[in-house]
Amino acid sequence: MPAKSWVTREQMIDLSIDLSYLSRYFGVSTISNFYAPSTGSIEESETTGEEELTIVTEDGAITVNADVMQKLLQEPEKLATILKLQDPNNRYLIIQQFNEDDLCSLLPYLDSEQLSFGLQYFTTDGLNELMINLPQEQMINLLLEHFTMEDVAMYMQVNEMDEFFKSTELDKNDVLEYFESMEYEQFQKLMVNQFGAEFEEKSAEEYLEYIENMDDLEYQQFLLNMEKPEKMAAMAGLCEINPDYYELVDNEVLTRPIMNTMNKGDIIKTMSTLDPEFLVPMIEELPQDLIQVVATQIDPSDFADMLSSEFPDMIMDMLVG
């Protein structure tokens, strides 16, 4: 892959360079108390006609062959040593030079725990919005870390529950299975409330047969006429029978037990269970200076690989000023 072009900033950065490593590598001595008007320069040798690179830091200065240095910067292990990438301050100083697109290209190198560190910069309402915008499967996975449909139903209005029971995705066989699992007294109360005292002496089998023989309109009206506690219990029971029914509830509703019972720290801890592919777009919504802080967590080896393959010119520019 060709190296990306780079335009250095006018503001210099004060990287901590390992001059002792470079002096050993090139077999030259480090000059102490070197004075130069800039942090580095490329000069042409009068004797060899080769370009030489002078790197100046507070620890001294070293003059090396520029072509050899350029090749050296394309070797990740050596680059990591030269730039002391184990030092997070050095990683941060380099990352500050990245433009927005290249900065975001660092985020996929981070794991879920590292990415979730950036979630602390969102407000609680902001975290709620991030969860609402998740693919529903991921939102359901987050919910099920701590809650069930029983908890969700506690925060639902009757009209929201009705949307669940109106769904054509709700299988009548599953509904019959749920009613079959009910305690007889509860089932009896439900049927008597809806169809009168004549149902008081009927058996559970007769109730099930009656429901099964309803036409579509009667059947849906029967479900919608259940009382709120009955609807709550039915939703919870149906989701136990078939977890796919969680998908009949909007993400905004699914987040309610999380937002109403968990503090911000616990919400972030729960969100850290998301795969990086879902956390990366969240972190990309942060201001650039905060993305820089998050990206600084990148593994030094991964960072060295990326710099050596994509940004050797940028590193050279930083070294020579």
Side-chain angles (χ1 to χ4, degrees), residues 107 122 130 276-286:
L107 297 179
F122 291 91
L130 292 175
E277 65 178 295
F278 303 108
L279 288 166
V280 165
M282 298 179 182
I283 302 306
E284 288 176 343
E285 294 188 23
L286 289 170

Side-chain angles (χ1 to χ4, degrees), residues 291-306:
I291 298 177
Q292 291 167 356
V293 175
V294 176
T296 298
Q297 299 174 97
I298 187 172
D299 179 83
S301 297
D302 290 337
F303 196 31
D305 283 337
M306 183 184 188

Side-chain angles (χ1 to χ4, degrees), residues 1-5 102 105 109 305-313:
M1 178 184 295
K4 294 187 179 182
S5 60
D102 291 332
S105 73
Y109 287 91
D305 283 337
M306 183 184 188
L307 291 174
S308 64
S309 64
E310 299 188 36
F311 299 105
D313 291 341

Side-chain angles (χ1 to χ4, degrees), residues 13 28 43 70 72 80 100 104 112 119 138 143 160 197 208 215 237 261 284 308:
I13 66 172
V28 296
E43 302 172 350
Q70 183 75 55
L72 188 61
E100 184 175 355
C104 289
S112 293
L119 297 178
Q138 297 303 313
L143 174 76
E160 293 172 329
L208 292 169
D215 63 35
T261 64
E284 288 176 343
S308 64

